[in-house]
Amino acid sequence: MNLNIRERYQKVLRSCQEIASRSVRTIAKATGISKSSVHRHLKTKSRQHQYPESHLWETEEGEKWLRLLVFAVIYCFGIKGGIGVGSLSAFFHMLHLEQHIGCSPSAIGKLEAQVKTKIIAYEQEQSKVYQSEKAMGICVGADETFFGLPILVAVELASGFIFSEAVCENRTYETWWQQVSRWFNPEQWKCHFMVSDGAKALIKLALSGLNCPSVPDVFHLMRDLSKSMGAAISLQQARLQKEQVALIAQDSPESKTRLKEVQAENLKIETAHQDYQKSLQALSQSIHPFHLDTGESLLAMELPSHLQPHLFTLEQLSQSYAPAKSQAALERWKRLIPNLSDLLHAWWHWVLQSLRSQTQDPDIQNWVLDCLLPWVYWHQQTQKTRQPHLKLSYQQATNLAHLRFLAHHFTKTLPILEQQHWLDWAVWICSKFQRTSSPVEGRNGYLARLHHSNRGFTPQTLKVLTIIHNFDIKRADGSTPAQRLFLQPFPDLFEWLLPLMPHLPRPRRTLKTPKSQNPILQAVPL
C-alpha cells in the first residue's frame, strides 16, 4: 500500500515538472531567451510574491510610490534625523521589501550618498538666483559649539539663514574671519549689528571684520544674574523651608522661638525674591525699541536711565546674596550698557534708512513710526514669548498700540493695498530687532543630537545639513530661512531632487537567501 502511494506521488510530481518544463520551453521560445534565464526569472517571481501586498509593487503606481517611500525615508530619517543605514535596512525588511528592492545597508548607504550629492548641487544652482544688485541689510549672530573640535556657526538672526557652519581647529579671530570672509561681501551684505556672547574673537569680528556694532546677548546677561543672585536666593529659601518643617515637628518651647525667627527670615527673603524677580523682568522689558507702557519710541540715549534704577535694586540685594558672583554679573551689565544702546541706535538707523528709501512723504513716515511699528512690534513679541506674565504685558501693549493705529486719521484714508504694503514692510523691519543669539543656540542643540547619533560629522554631511536647514526647514507659516532672507520663493528641495535620483537597486540573490518552496520548481526528496 505504501509502495503504491509513493509511486503515485512520483508520477504526479513528474507530471508537474513536465508541465513546468513545457511552460519554460514555451516562454523561452516566445521571448527568445534561454530556458535557464526563464527558469531563474520564474523563481525570482515566486520569491517576490510571498506576501498579499507584493503584487502592488509590480504595478506602475506601486513602483512610483515605492520609489517615493525609499527616498523620503533616506532623506527624512537617514540624513535629517541621523538614523544609521543599518536601522533603515531593518525598517525596509520589516515592510517586506527585501525581494523587490536592494535594501542592504551598503545599498542604502550608496543611495544616501547620491542624495547628499544632489542636495549640494541644489544649493549651487540656487546660489545663482539670489544674487542681489544692492547690499541687503542683515543682523548676524555668531557662536561656537564643541564636539571635540569647535563648529563655528554664523546665522542671520531674523530669518534663521545659516551663512557659515564649519568644523575648525580653534575659534580665534583669524579662524572666524576665514569662514566669514567666504560669504561676506560688502557689495552684497550690509551688517547692521552682530549679537554674540562677548568672546573677544567675536567682538573683533564684528568691529573689524563685519564693520558693525557688537551687541551683547541679553539672554547671557540675564542668565549670569540668575546663576549668581537668583540661585543664592532660591537655595536660602529652600534651606529655611526645610528648617521650618523640622521645627514644626519638634514642638518644643525652644523650637517655637526659633520657628518665629525662621518665619521672619523667610518673609524677608520672600520679599527679596519678589524684588529680584521684578527688577529682572523690568531689565528685560526695558531693552525694546518702544516703551511698554506708552508705545512711544525708545532711543539709545534713554536706555541707561531706564536700566539704572533696576540695577541699583539688584545691587542692594547682591550685598546679601552671593555678593562676589552677583557683583561681577552686575558690573558686566554696567559695562555693557553702551553696547546695548548701540543695538537701539543701529536698529533705528536701519529703520529710518529703509523708510526713506520707501517714501519721502513726512505724513506717511510719522504714521509708520508712531502707529504702525509699535503695533507690529509688540504683536511679534506677544507671539514669540512663552512666559505668561510677559505675554500678558506684551498683549496689553499690543492692544494699546492697535487702538492708536485705528484712531489715526491716516489709517482711515490710506488705501487697503498701500496699508498692506506698509504692514508687510513693518513685519520685516520689526523682525530685524534681535537682542539674543537664540537661533545659534537652537542650531547647536540640533547639531548635538545628530553628532551623538552619527558619532561625528564629515565635511559633506555638515554642508548638507546646512543646506537642508536653509532651504527645507519651515516655520509655522511654511516659509524657509532662504525665503525669509531673500524675500522670494525657492523650489522644494525634496521635490527638486527626487526626479534626479536613479532607479532603485534590484535585490540580489545570495547564498543566505532561502530557496523557493514551490514543489514544481524544486524537487522534494523522498
Side-chain angles (χ1 to χ4, degrees):
M1 185 67 179
N2 292 337
L3 182 62
N4 293 336
I5 294 176
R6 183 172 182 177
E7 290 177 352
R8 286 160 55 188
Y9 175 77
Q10 289 178 343
K11 184 177 180 179
V12 171
L13 182 59
R14 283 194 299 270
S15 300
C16 292
Q17 289 174 342
E18 289 175 3
I19 294 172
S21 178
R22 286 199 299 269
S23 300
V24 169
R25 191 179 297 111
T26 303
I27 295 173
K29 185 177 180 181
T31 57
I33 60 178
S34 65
K35 291 187 294 182
S36 61
S37 297
V38 173
H39 183 68
R40 185 173 65 255
H41 287 308
L42 289 175
K43 291 175 68 176
T44 301
K45 185 73 69 173
S46 176
R47 290 197 306 270
Q48 288 179 343
H49 289 76
Q50 298 181 34
Y51 307 103
E53 72 278 5
S54 296
H55 69 282
L56 295 175
W57 315 128
E58 302 298 326
T59 64
E60 183 179 356
E61 294 80 6
E63 185 178 357
K64 290 181 179 180
W65 190 87
L66 184 59
R67 172 185 168 85
L68 176 65
L69 170 69
V70 171
F71 286 112
V73 168
I74 292 175
Y75 179 76
C76 291
F77 301 109
I79 298 178
K80 294 173 65 175
I83 306 299
V85 293
S87 298
L88 298 184
S89 176
F91 173 76
F92 290 130
H93 278 79
M94 290 178 182
L95 296 182
H96 303 155
L97 299 178
E98 69 278 1
Q99 297 297 336
H100 301 275
I101 61 172
C103 53
S104 65
S106 60
I108 300 301
K110 291 179 182 179
L111 290 178
E112 185 172 309
Q114 292 173 330
V115 172
K116 290 180 179 179
T117 302
K118 295 301 180 184
I119 291 175
I120 295 176
Y122 173 90
E123 194 272 340
Q124 293 173 350
E125 180 175 318
Q126 301 308 318
S127 62
K128 303 174 183 177
V129 178
Y130 54 70
Q131 298 294 334
S132 177
E133 297 180 356
K134 60 180 181 179
M136 297 179 61
I138 55 175
C139 50
V140 177
D143 200 0
E144 58 276 324
T145 186
F146 295 91
F147 309 115
L149 294 176
I151 296 180
L152 309 185
V153 184
V155 177
E156 207 283 324
L157 295 175
S159 62
F161 188 90
I162 298 176
F163 285 118
S164 60
E165 187 173 48
V167 179
C168 300
E169 294 184 357
N170 55 59
R171 48 194 176 121
T172 62
Y173 166 75
E174 289 74 18
T175 306
W176 266 108
W177 179 243
Q178 182 181 4
Q179 297 299 325
V180 171
S181 61
R182 294 178 180 177
W183 60 265
F184 181 72
N185 181 3
E187 297 180 357
Q188 183 181 5
W189 306 109
K190 166 60 178 175
C191 187
H192 291 268
F193 57 87
M194 190 185 87
V195 183
S196 68
D197 58 3
K200 293 182 179 179
L202 294 178
I203 294 176
K204 186 177 181 181
L205 177 65
L207 300 177
S208 302
L210 300 178
N211 194 25
C212 68
S214 175
V215 177
D217 191 322
V218 175
F219 171 78
H220 285 82
L221 294 177
M222 304 287 285
R223 187 167 175 267
D224 288 344
L225 289 175
S226 298
K227 288 173 61 178
S228 56
M229 191 183 309
I233 294 175
S234 298
L235 286 175
Q236 194 162 342
Q237 279 183 313
R239 181 185 63 80
L240 291 175
Q241 290 175 357
K242 184 177 181 180
E243 184 178 359
Q244 186 174 345
V245 171
L247 291 172
I248 293 175
Q250 293 178 8
D251 194 18
S252 63
E254 294 81 3
S255 63
K256 291 181 180 179
T257 303
R258 176 57 184 164
L259 180 61
K260 293 181 180 180
E261 297 176 356
V262 169
Q263 289 176 342
E265 292 180 17
N266 196 21
L267 181 61
K268 179 181 178 181
I269 199 172
E270 180 65 29
T271 303
H273 185 259
Q274 292 178 0
D275 293 340
Y276 162 77
Q277 291 286 355
K278 290 180 181 178
S279 299
L280 202 66
Q281 179 179 333
L283 284 178
S284 175
Q285 293 177 342
S286 298
I287 309 174
H288 289 291
F290 301 98
H291 291 275
L292 186 63
D293 298 330
T294 63
E296 296 179 354
S297 302
L298 177 64
L299 302 181
M301 63 185 70
E302 303 176 67
L303 182 61
S305 62
H306 283 74
L307 297 179
Q308 288 296 345
H310 312 301
L311 291 175
F312 178 77
T313 302
L314 292 173
E315 191 170 6
Q316 296 296 318
L317 294 173
S318 69
Q319 299 176 4
S320 303
Y321 307 103
K325 294 183 179 180
S326 57
Q327 281 291 339
L330 289 171
E331 287 299 325
R332 188 183 181 199
W333 265 92
K334 295 177 182 178
R335 187 175 70 253
L336 294 177
I337 286 179
N339 301 92
L340 293 173
S341 300
D342 289 342
L343 170 62
L344 290 174
H345 177 76
W347 186 78
W348 277 115
H349 181 267
W350 193 354
V351 170
L352 296 176
Q353 185 182 40
S354 178
L355 184 58
R356 293 191 187 106
S357 67
Q358 295 284 328
T359 180
Q360 297 295 326
D361 190 337
D363 293 332
I364 295 181
Q365 292 180 354
N366 292 332
W367 172 74
V368 169
L369 294 173
D370 297 337
C371 299
L372 181 59
L373 286 182
W375 171 44
V376 172
Y377 179 81
W378 290 122
H379 177 74
Q380 287 185 352
Q381 297 302 313
T382 304
Q383 299 298 317
K384 287 169 58 176
T385 186
R386 297 180 180 179
Q387 299 184 19
H389 59 281
L390 284 179
K391 185 178 285 291
L392 179 61
S393 300
Y394 294 158
Q395 184 61 57
Q396 292 174 349
T398 302
N399 296 337
L400 178 63
H402 189 216
L403 291 176
R404 189 168 56 208
F405 170 78
L406 294 177
H408 198 280
H409 68 91
F410 217 72
T411 307
K412 303 174 183 178
T413 59
L414 204 64
I416 298 298
L417 292 178
E418 193 169 352
Q419 284 192 30
Q420 186 61 47
H421 163 75
W422 285 112
L423 180 61
D424 294 339
W425 177 85
V427 169
W428 170 77
I429 195 64
C430 287
S431 69
K432 298 298 183 181
F433 186 85
Q434 299 287 330
R435 57 182 197 168
T436 67
S437 58
S438 54
V440 187
E441 301 293 346
R443 181 61 179 175
N444 290 344
Y446 177 80
L447 290 179
R449 179 176 63 85
L450 291 184
H451 177 269
H452 293 299
S453 176
N454 292 324
R455 294 176 294 278
F457 294 116
T458 64
Q460 185 198 41
T461 299
L462 190 58
K463 182 176 180 60
V464 166
L465 291 175
T466 304
I467 297 171
I468 290 176
H469 174 92
N470 288 338
F471 293 94
D472 190 59
I473 303 298
K474 298 179 176 64
R475 286 182 182 172
D477 59 358
S479 64
T480 64
Q483 292 173 352
R484 293 189 293 271
L485 177 61
F486 298 104
L487 303 178
Q488 66 181 43
F490 291 91
D492 184 90
L493 176 55
F494 182 73
E495 296 295 336
W496 181 89
L497 66 87
L498 185 60
L500 303 179
M501 299 311 300
H503 295 291
L504 297 178
R506 304 302 300 171
R508 290 184 178 183
R509 178 83 191 280
T510 64
L511 295 177
K512 297 181 180 180
T513 305
K515 295 182 179 180
S516 173
Q517 300 301 319
N518 192 331
I520 298 180
L521 301 177
Q522 175 183 341
V524 180
L526 298 176

